[in-house]
Amino acid sequence: QVQLVESGGGLVQAGGSLRLSCAASGRTFSRYSMGWFRQAPGKERECVAAISRSGGSTYCADSVKGRFTISRDNGKNTMYLQMNSLKPEDTAVYYCAARGTGTTWRAYILSDEYDYWGQGTQVTVSS
């Protein structure tokens, strides 16, 4: 089992940047495929970015390509989401998620493919 804690959210003006972190408990972080999801009021939760166990495979939603970068440091049990050129439509609660089974090379993008979730961190982008 793994526990996930997000940090780094906040209020930023359009065009600004934030870096979210997801710290995982335990010593087996490298065994988990990881993802970042977000949910805005009245909208469904969507995958923003995902990364395979080793970090060799990544996925980014079309809406954030070229602006967001997902990465992980298995030695620090931490995943990151660097968000640049933020837009008001990026406003949402951002969640990190972990999946403990599956293939080493695959990045998973569906919420029901994940087993563990953090509590979420609010990102608000003002216009």
Side-chain angles (χ1 to χ4, degrees):
Q1 195 168 7
V2 64
Q3 292 184 326
L4 305 172
V5 179
E6 303 98 335
S7 61
L11 173 64
V12 64
Q13 289 188 333
S17 298
L18 286 173
R19 187 174 84 154
L20 304 184
S21 298
C22 174
S25 65
R27 298 179 295 173
T28 58
F29 180 66
S30 61
R31 296 183 183 179
Y32 293 90
S33 301
M34 302 294 296
W36 284 103
F37 288 75
R38 69 184 180 187
Q39 188 166 20
K43 295 187 177 181
E44 293 187 355
R45 188 171 296 189
E46 64 172 346
C47 181
V48 176
I51 190 166
S52 61
R53 293 179 183 177
S54 66
S57 296
T58 61
Y59 161 85
C60 277
D62 288 343
S63 59
V64 306
K65 278 183 181 177
R67 301 189 297 122
F68 291 12
T69 303
I70 188 172
S71 62
R72 65 189 296 166
D73 185 335
N74 286 344
K76 294 183 178 180
N77 286 10
T78 304
M79 175 179 66
Y80 305 98
L81 185 67
Q82 179 65 45
M83 305 187 295
N84 299 328
S85 302
L86 282 160
K87 303 176 181 180
E89 51 263 44
D90 294 318
T91 294
V93 178
Y94 284 70
Y95 300 89
C96 70
R99 174 189 170 101
T101 59
T103 59
T104 301
W105 53 263
R106 182 176 169 184
Y108 293 85
I109 64 173
L110 300 178
S111 60
D112 60 6
E113 293 179 311
Y114 285 87
D115 307 305
Y116 305 102
W117 293 84
Q119 82 289 349
T121 185
Q122 176 71 46
V123 171
T124 303
V125 184
S126 64
S127 58

Tab-separated table of all heavy atoms in Angstrom, residues 19-70:
chain	number	residue	atom	x	y	z
A	19	ARG	N	4.801	24.254	-9.788
A	19	ARG	CA	5.282	22.876	-9.818
A	19	ARG	C	4.603	22.106	-8.699
A	19	ARG	O	4.776	22.435	-7.518
A	19	ARG	CB	6.796	22.779	-9.664
A	19	ARG	CG	7.280	21.337	-9.879
A	19	ARG	CD	8.783	21.208	-9.876
A	19	ARG	NE	9.334	21.098	-8.535
A	19	ARG	CZ	10.491	20.500	-8.262
A	19	ARG	NH1	11.198	19.940	-9.230
A	19	ARG	NH2	10.937	20.474	-7.018
A	20	LEU	N	3.857	21.111	-9.074
A	20	LEU	CA	3.224	20.235	-8.105
A	20	LEU	C	4.146	19.067	-7.784
A	20	LEU	O	4.865	18.575	-8.649
A	20	LEU	CB	1.903	19.693	-8.651
A	20	LEU	CG	0.862	20.714	-9.101
A	20	LEU	CD1	-0.412	19.990	-9.512
A	20	LEU	CD2	0.584	21.739	-8.034
A	21	SER	N	4.094	18.645	-6.536
A	21	SER	CA	4.838	17.469	-6.099
A	21	SER	C	3.881	16.459	-5.499
A	21	SER	O	2.872	16.831	-4.897
A	21	SER	CB	5.892	17.850	-5.055
A	21	SER	OG	6.848	18.734	-5.584
A	22	CYS	N	4.213	15.208	-5.649
A	22	CYS	CA	3.447	14.120	-5.044
A	22	CYS	C	4.447	13.222	-4.324
A	22	CYS	O	5.233	12.527	-4.977
A	22	CYS	CB	2.685	13.343	-6.101
A	22	CYS	SG	1.845	11.860	-5.478
A	23	ALA	N	4.418	13.263	-3.013
A	23	ALA	CA	5.324	12.458	-2.205
A	23	ALA	C	4.635	11.151	-1.817
A	23	ALA	O	3.495	11.162	-1.338
A	23	ALA	CB	5.745	13.218	-0.958
A	24	ALA	N	5.329	10.047	-2.027
A	24	ALA	CA	4.768	8.731	-1.738
A	24	ALA	C	5.480	8.092	-0.552
A	24	ALA	O	6.696	8.232	-0.402
A	24	ALA	CB	4.895	7.828	-2.955
A	25	SER	N	4.703	7.425	0.273
A	25	SER	CA	5.286	6.701	1.404
A	25	SER	C	5.816	5.355	0.936
A	25	SER	O	5.487	4.886	-0.152
A	25	SER	CB	4.231	6.496	2.489
A	25	SER	OG	3.198	5.655	1.993
A	26	GLY	N	6.626	4.730	1.771
A	26	GLY	CA	7.083	3.386	1.456
A	26	GLY	C	8.363	3.368	0.657
A	26	GLY	O	8.878	4.396	0.216
A	27	ARG	N	8.892	2.146	0.466
A	27	ARG	CA	10.172	1.978	-0.195
A	27	ARG	C	10.061	1.404	-1.594
A	27	ARG	O	11.074	1.115	-2.204
A	27	ARG	CB	11.057	1.062	0.652
A	27	ARG	CG	11.357	1.614	2.027
A	27	ARG	CD	12.224	0.650	2.814
A	27	ARG	NE	11.522	-0.594	3.095
A	27	ARG	CZ	12.099	-1.646	3.643
A	27	ARG	NH1	13.370	-1.632	3.945
A	27	ARG	NH2	11.386	-2.729	3.877
A	28	THR	N	8.824	1.263	-2.102
A	28	THR	CA	8.649	0.600	-3.385
A	28	THR	C	8.033	1.525	-4.418
A	28	THR	O	7.293	1.101	-5.283
A	28	THR	CB	7.772	-0.652	-3.233
A	28	THR	OG1	6.499	-0.273	-2.683
A	28	THR	CG2	8.435	-1.671	-2.346
A	29	PHE	N	8.353	2.807	-4.347
A	29	PHE	CA	7.761	3.795	-5.246
A	29	PHE	C	7.994	3.430	-6.704
A	29	PHE	O	7.128	3.638	-7.553
A	29	PHE	CB	8.363	5.159	-4.934
A	29	PHE	CG	7.845	6.276	-5.802
A	29	PHE	CD1	6.516	6.671	-5.710
A	29	PHE	CD2	8.680	6.933	-6.691
A	29	PHE	CE1	6.029	7.712	-6.498
A	29	PHE	CE2	8.214	7.970	-7.484
A	29	PHE	CZ	6.883	8.354	-7.378
A	30	SER	N	9.144	2.864	-7.010
A	30	SER	CA	9.472	2.538	-8.396
A	30	SER	C	8.584	1.444	-8.978
A	30	SER	O	8.584	1.229	-10.182
A	30	SER	CB	10.941	2.122	-8.502
A	30	SER	OG	11.181	0.974	-7.724
A	31	ARG	N	7.825	0.755	-8.147
A	31	ARG	CA	6.922	-0.298	-8.617
A	31	ARG	C	5.572	0.251	-9.069
A	31	ARG	O	4.744	-0.488	-9.581
A	31	ARG	CB	6.686	-1.330	-7.514
A	31	ARG	CG	7.934	-2.085	-7.103
A	31	ARG	CD	7.600	-3.128	-6.055
A	31	ARG	NE	8.792	-3.830	-5.571
A	31	ARG	CZ	8.775	-4.776	-4.637
A	31	ARG	NH1	7.629	-5.133	-4.090
A	31	ARG	NH2	9.892	-5.346	-4.263
A	32	TYR	N	5.353	1.563	-8.867
A	32	TYR	CA	4.052	2.147	-9.158
A	32	TYR	C	4.084	2.997	-10.422
A	32	TYR	O	4.962	3.851	-10.580
A	32	TYR	CB	3.574	3.014	-7.996
A	32	TYR	CG	3.260	2.232	-6.742
A	32	TYR	CD1	4.242	2.003	-5.791
A	32	TYR	CD2	1.987	1.715	-6.533
A	32	TYR	CE1	3.959	1.276	-4.647
A	32	TYR	CE2	1.700	0.989	-5.384
A	32	TYR	CZ	2.695	0.770	-4.453
A	32	TYR	OH	2.405	0.051	-3.328
A	33	SER	N	3.111	2.744	-11.292
A	33	SER	CA	2.835	3.692	-12.358
A	33	SER	C	2.087	4.864	-11.725
A	33	SER	O	1.264	4.672	-10.828
A	33	SER	CB	1.968	3.040	-13.433
A	33	SER	OG	2.612	1.904	-13.969
A	34	MET	N	2.350	6.061	-12.204
A	34	MET	CA	1.814	7.259	-11.556
A	34	MET	C	1.092	8.149	-12.551
A	34	MET	O	1.384	8.130	-13.763
A	34	MET	CB	2.958	8.051	-10.913
A	34	MET	CG	3.776	7.299	-9.884
A	34	MET	SD	2.832	6.885	-8.401
A	34	MET	CE	2.476	8.522	-7.758
A	35	GLY	N	0.183	8.950	-12.007
A	35	GLY	CA	-0.537	9.878	-12.872
A	35	GLY	C	-0.981	11.115	-12.125
A	35	GLY	O	-1.099	11.112	-10.899
A	36	TRP	N	-1.204	12.169	-12.881
A	36	TRP	CA	-1.809	13.396	-12.379
A	36	TRP	C	-3.181	13.541	-13.034
A	36	TRP	O	-3.301	13.466	-14.258
A	36	TRP	CB	-0.967	14.616	-12.720
A	36	TRP	CG	0.262	14.790	-11.889
A	36	TRP	CD1	1.551	14.510	-12.242
A	36	TRP	CD2	0.324	15.307	-10.558
A	36	TRP	NE1	2.402	14.801	-11.214
A	36	TRP	CE2	1.670	15.301	-10.167
A	36	TRP	CE3	-0.640	15.766	-9.659
A	36	TRP	CZ2	2.097	15.737	-8.906
A	36	TRP	CZ3	-0.221	16.197	-8.409
A	36	TRP	CH2	1.127	16.178	-8.043
A	37	PHE	N	-4.184	13.780	-12.213
A	37	PHE	CA	-5.542	14.016	-12.689
A	37	PHE	C	-5.996	15.368	-12.155
A	37	PHE	O	-5.444	15.878	-11.177
A	37	PHE	CB	-6.491	12.915	-12.188
A	37	PHE	CG	-6.276	11.591	-12.857
A	37	PHE	CD1	-5.184	10.797	-12.531
A	37	PHE	CD2	-7.161	11.129	-13.816
A	37	PHE	CE1	-4.968	9.569	-13.142
A	37	PHE	CE2	-6.958	9.899	-14.441
A	37	PHE	CZ	-5.862	9.131	-14.092
A	38	ARG	N	-7.012	15.912	-12.782
A	38	ARG	CA	-7.602	17.144	-12.265
A	38	ARG	C	-9.117	17.095	-12.421
A	38	ARG	O	-9.638	16.409	-13.288
A	38	ARG	CB	-7.029	18.374	-12.966
A	38	ARG	CG	-7.423	18.523	-14.430
A	38	ARG	CD	-6.705	19.716	-15.039
A	38	ARG	NE	-7.043	19.904	-16.453
A	38	ARG	CZ	-6.459	20.782	-17.245
A	38	ARG	NH1	-5.481	21.561	-16.780
A	38	ARG	NH2	-6.841	20.899	-18.513
A	39	GLN	N	-9.769	17.843	-11.543
A	39	GLN	CA	-11.222	17.924	-11.596
A	39	GLN	C	-11.650	19.341	-11.306
A	39	GLN	O	-11.367	19.867	-10.219
A	39	GLN	CB	-11.877	16.948	-10.623
A	39	GLN	CG	-13.377	16.858	-10.780
A	39	GLN	CD	-13.972	15.661	-10.068
A	39	GLN	OE1	-13.374	15.091	-9.165
A	39	GLN	NE2	-15.157	15.256	-10.500
A	40	ALA	N	-12.314	19.948	-12.268
A	40	ALA	CA	-12.860	21.289	-12.105
A	40	ALA	C	-14.321	21.168	-11.684
A	40	ALA	O	-14.967	20.144	-11.939
A	40	ALA	CB	-12.745	22.057	-13.417
A	41	PRO	N	-14.865	22.196	-11.044
A	41	PRO	CA	-16.263	22.149	-10.609
A	41	PRO	C	-17.210	21.835	-11.769
A	41	PRO	O	-17.120	22.455	-12.833
A	41	PRO	CB	-16.504	23.557	-10.058
A	41	PRO	CG	-15.166	24.013	-9.623
A	41	PRO	CD	-14.201	23.441	-10.620
A	42	GLY	N	-18.073	20.852	-11.556
A	42	GLY	CA	-19.043	20.494	-12.569
A	42	GLY	C	-18.504	19.671	-13.715
A	42	GLY	O	-19.237	19.373	-14.665
A	43	LYS	N	-17.234	19.301	-13.632
A	43	LYS	CA	-16.629	18.514	-14.715
A	43	LYS	C	-16.135	17.174	-14.190
A	43	LYS	O	-15.910	17.001	-12.990
A	43	LYS	CB	-15.477	19.283	-15.361
A	43	LYS	CG	-15.921	20.552	-16.079
A	43	LYS	CD	-14.775	21.164	-16.837
A	43	LYS	CE	-15.229	22.387	-17.622
A	43	LYS	NZ	-14.104	22.992	-18.405
A	44	GLU	N	-15.940	16.244	-15.105
A	44	GLU	CA	-15.416	14.943	-14.727
A	44	GLU	C	-13.910	15.026	-14.500
A	44	GLU	O	-13.229	15.899	-15.030
A	44	GLU	CB	-15.720	13.913	-15.824
A	44	GLU	CG	-17.191	13.602	-15.990
A	44	GLU	CD	-17.424	12.464	-16.953
A	44	GLU	OE1	-16.455	11.971	-17.560
A	44	GLU	OE2	-18.585	12.051	-17.100
A	45	ARG	N	-13.420	14.088	-13.699
A	45	ARG	CA	-11.986	14.005	-13.470
A	45	ARG	C	-11.306	13.567	-14.766
A	45	ARG	O	-11.763	12.649	-15.435
A	45	ARG	CB	-11.689	13.016	-12.354
A	45	ARG	CG	-10.249	12.983	-11.909
A	45	ARG	CD	-10.087	12.138	-10.671
A	45	ARG	NE	-10.801	12.677	-9.523
A	45	ARG	CZ	-10.674	12.225	-8.283
A	45	ARG	NH1	-9.856	11.223	-8.027
A	45	ARG	NH2	-11.366	12.759	-7.302
A	46	GLU	N	-10.208	14.218	-15.099
A	46	GLU	CA	-9.501	13.898	-16.329
A	46	GLU	C	-8.014	13.721	-16.055
A	46	GLU	O	-7.456	14.329	-15.146
A	46	GLU	CB	-9.688	15.009	-17.378
A	46	GLU	CG	-9.103	16.350	-16.979
A	46	GLU	CD	-9.123	17.363	-18.102
A	46	GLU	OE1	-9.336	16.990	-19.266
A	46	GLU	OE2	-8.905	18.562	-17.813
A	47	CYS	N	-7.415	12.868	-16.876
A	47	CYS	CA	-5.981	12.649	-16.763
A	47	CYS	C	-5.242	13.798	-17.423
A	47	CYS	O	-5.480	14.113	-18.591
A	47	CYS	CB	-5.585	11.327	-17.410
A	47	CYS	SG	-3.823	10.962	-17.291
A	48	VAL	N	-4.351	14.408	-16.674
A	48	VAL	CA	-3.520	15.474	-17.202
A	48	VAL	C	-2.231	14.898	-17.769
A	48	VAL	O	-1.800	15.252	-18.867
A	48	VAL	CB	-3.211	16.494	-16.094
A	48	VAL	CG1	-2.258	17.563	-16.605
A	48	VAL	CG2	-4.496	17.112	-15.565
A	49	ALA	N	-1.615	14.008	-16.993
A	49	ALA	CA	-0.354	13.420	-17.410
A	49	ALA	C	-0.148	12.114	-16.653
A	49	ALA	O	-0.686	11.931	-15.565
A	49	ALA	CB	0.811	14.375	-17.145
A	50	ALA	N	0.638	11.228	-17.247
A	50	ALA	CA	0.925	9.948	-16.606
A	50	ALA	C	2.341	9.525	-16.957
A	50	ALA	O	2.903	9.952	-17.978
A	50	ALA	CB	-0.078	8.889	-17.051
A	51	ILE	N	2.901	8.664	-16.096
A	51	ILE	CA	4.290	8.261	-16.286
A	51	ILE	C	4.447	6.812	-15.861
A	51	ILE	O	3.836	6.361	-14.895
A	51	ILE	CB	5.224	9.206	-15.501
A	51	ILE	CG1	6.683	8.979	-15.864
A	51	ILE	CG2	4.990	9.103	-13.994
A	51	ILE	CD1	7.601	10.099	-15.386
A	52	SER	N	5.266	6.081	-16.600
A	52	SER	CA	5.483	4.680	-16.299
A	52	SER	C	6.397	4.531	-15.073
A	52	SER	O	6.922	5.509	-14.546
A	52	SER	CB	6.114	3.985	-17.499
A	52	SER	OG	7.379	4.569	-17.791
A	53	ARG	N	6.573	3.292	-14.650
A	53	ARG	CA	7.336	3.022	-13.429
A	53	ARG	C	8.759	3.589	-13.503
A	53	ARG	O	9.245	4.181	-12.545
A	53	ARG	CB	7.408	1.521	-13.193
A	53	ARG	CG	6.087	0.866	-12.866
A	53	ARG	CD	6.277	-0.618	-12.680
A	53	ARG	NE	5.027	-1.306	-12.435
A	53	ARG	CZ	4.943	-2.623	-12.293
A	53	ARG	NH1	6.026	-3.378	-12.363
A	53	ARG	NH2	3.776	-3.183	-12.086
A	54	SER	N	9.390	3.390	-14.615
A	54	SER	CA	10.782	3.845	-14.745
A	54	SER	C	10.882	5.292	-15.184
A	54	SER	O	11.951	5.894	-15.119
A	54	SER	CB	11.514	2.973	-15.763
A	54	SER	OG	10.953	3.173	-17.048
A	55	GLY	N	9.761	5.836	-15.648
A	55	GLY	CA	9.779	7.193	-16.187
A	55	GLY	C	10.061	7.238	-17.670
A	55	GLY	O	10.098	8.314	-18.256
A	56	GLY	N	10.243	6.060	-18.279
A	56	GLY	CA	10.590	6.029	-19.684
A	56	GLY	C	9.443	6.344	-20.622
A	56	GLY	O	9.659	6.758	-21.766
A	57	SER	N	8.230	6.153	-20.151
A	57	SER	CA	7.050	6.454	-20.973
A	57	SER	C	6.201	7.491	-20.265
A	57	SER	O	5.943	7.374	-19.070
A	57	SER	CB	6.212	5.188	-21.198
A	57	SER	OG	6.933	4.233	-21.934
A	58	THR	N	5.768	8.487	-20.993
A	58	THR	CA	4.917	9.521	-20.423
A	58	THR	C	3.753	9.809	-21.362
A	58	THR	O	3.798	9.494	-22.558
A	58	THR	CB	5.685	10.833	-20.166
A	58	THR	OG1	6.191	11.324	-21.410
A	58	THR	CG2	6.815	10.622	-19.188
A	59	TYR	N	2.733	10.393	-20.794
A	59	TYR	CA	1.550	10.811	-21.544
A	59	TYR	C	1.145	12.190	-21.053
A	59	TYR	O	1.224	12.480	-19.853
A	59	TYR	CB	0.400	9.832	-21.310
A	59	TYR	CG	-0.965	10.410	-21.651
A	59	TYR	CD1	-1.446	10.364	-22.952
A	59	TYR	CD2	-1.731	11.033	-20.669
A	59	TYR	CE1	-2.676	10.925	-23.261
A	59	TYR	CE2	-2.959	11.587	-20.973
A	59	TYR	CZ	-3.429	11.527	-22.268
A	59	TYR	OH	-4.641	12.074	-22.577
A	60	CYS	N	0.719	13.036	-21.971
A	60	CYS	CA	0.129	14.314	-21.600
A	60	CYS	C	-1.125	14.547	-22.418
A	60	CYS	O	-1.137	14.277	-23.626
A	60	CYS	CB	1.099	15.464	-21.861
A	60	CYS	SG	2.299	15.721	-20.541
A	61	ALA	N	-2.150	15.042	-21.770
A	61	ALA	CA	-3.375	15.381	-22.482
A	61	ALA	C	-3.085	16.475	-23.515
A	61	ALA	O	-2.197	17.308	-23.320
A	61	ALA	CB	-4.437	15.847	-21.500
A	62	ASP	N	-3.846	16.463	-24.596
A	62	ASP	CA	-3.632	17.461	-25.647
A	62	ASP	C	-3.749	18.882	-25.107
A	62	ASP	O	-3.043	19.789	-25.567
A	62	ASP	CB	-4.654	17.245	-26.767
A	62	ASP	CG	-4.361	16.006	-27.592
A	62	ASP	OD1	-3.218	15.497	-27.518
A	62	ASP	OD2	-5.271	15.544	-28.299
A	63	SER	N	-4.616	19.069	-24.133
A	63	SER	CA	-4.858	20.415	-23.605
A	63	SER	C	-3.658	20.992	-22.867
A	63	SER	O	-3.594	22.202	-22.639
A	63	SER	CB	-6.075	20.395	-22.679
A	63	SER	OG	-5.870	19.486	-21.609
A	64	VAL	N	-2.716	20.146	-22.473
A	64	VAL	CA	-1.562	20.634	-21.711
A	64	VAL	C	-0.229	20.368	-22.396
A	64	VAL	O	0.824	20.760	-21.881
A	64	VAL	CB	-1.531	20.040	-20.290
A	64	VAL	CG1	-2.862	20.307	-19.575
A	64	VAL	CG2	-1.225	18.549	-20.312
A	65	LYS	N	-0.256	19.722	-23.547
A	65	LYS	CA	0.987	19.429	-24.251
A	65	LYS	C	1.752	20.701	-24.565
A	65	LYS	O	1.173	21.701	-24.991
A	65	LYS	CB	0.691	18.663	-25.541
A	65	LYS	CG	0.488	17.180	-25.342
A	65	LYS	CD	0.265	16.463	-26.655
A	65	LYS	CE	0.048	14.974	-26.434
A	65	LYS	NZ	-0.245	14.261	-27.687
A	66	GLY	N	3.052	20.644	-24.335
A	66	GLY	CA	3.886	21.811	-24.569
A	66	GLY	C	3.915	22.783	-23.405
A	66	GLY	O	4.727	23.710	-23.390
A	67	ARG	N	3.028	22.592	-22.422
A	67	ARG	CA	2.989	23.476	-21.247
A	67	ARG	C	3.304	22.737	-19.953
A	67	ARG	O	3.931	23.305	-19.059
A	67	ARG	CB	1.605	24.116	-21.137
A	67	ARG	CG	1.197	24.932	-22.341
A	67	ARG	CD	-0.084	25.712	-22.074
A	67	ARG	NE	-1.233	24.848	-21.820
A	67	ARG	CZ	-1.957	24.891	-20.695
A	67	ARG	NH1	-1.636	25.745	-19.732
A	67	ARG	NH2	-2.991	24.078	-20.551
A	68	PHE	N	2.850	21.499	-19.833
A	68	PHE	CA	3.052	20.710	-18.613
A	68	PHE	C	4.071	19.603	-18.881
A	68	PHE	O	4.106	19.022	-19.965
A	68	PHE	CB	1.744	20.061	-18.164
A	68	PHE	CG	0.695	21.004	-17.642
A	68	PHE	CD1	0.799	22.380	-17.784
A	68	PHE	CD2	-0.419	20.500	-16.986
A	68	PHE	CE1	-0.174	23.235	-17.308
A	68	PHE	CE2	-1.410	21.342	-16.494
A	68	PHE	CZ	-1.278	22.713	-16.671
A	69	THR	N	4.855	19.293	-17.850
A	69	THR	CA	5.817	18.199	-17.931
A	69	THR	C	5.724	17.352	-16.682
A	69	THR	O	5.806	17.875	-15.562
A	69	THR	CB	7.248	18.733	-18.075
A	69	THR	OG1	7.340	19.571	-19.228
A	69	THR	CG2	8.240	17.576	-18.206
A	70	ILE	N	5.562	16.053	-16.877
A	70	ILE	CA	5.525	15.121	-15.760
A	70	ILE	C	6.893	14.462	-15.621
A	70	ILE	O	7.571	14.182	-16.613
A	70	ILE	CB	4.417	14.062	-15.960
A	70	ILE	CG1	4.247	13.208	-14.712
A	70	ILE	CG2	4.685	13.203	-17.192
A	70	ILE	CD1	3.041	12.278	-14.761
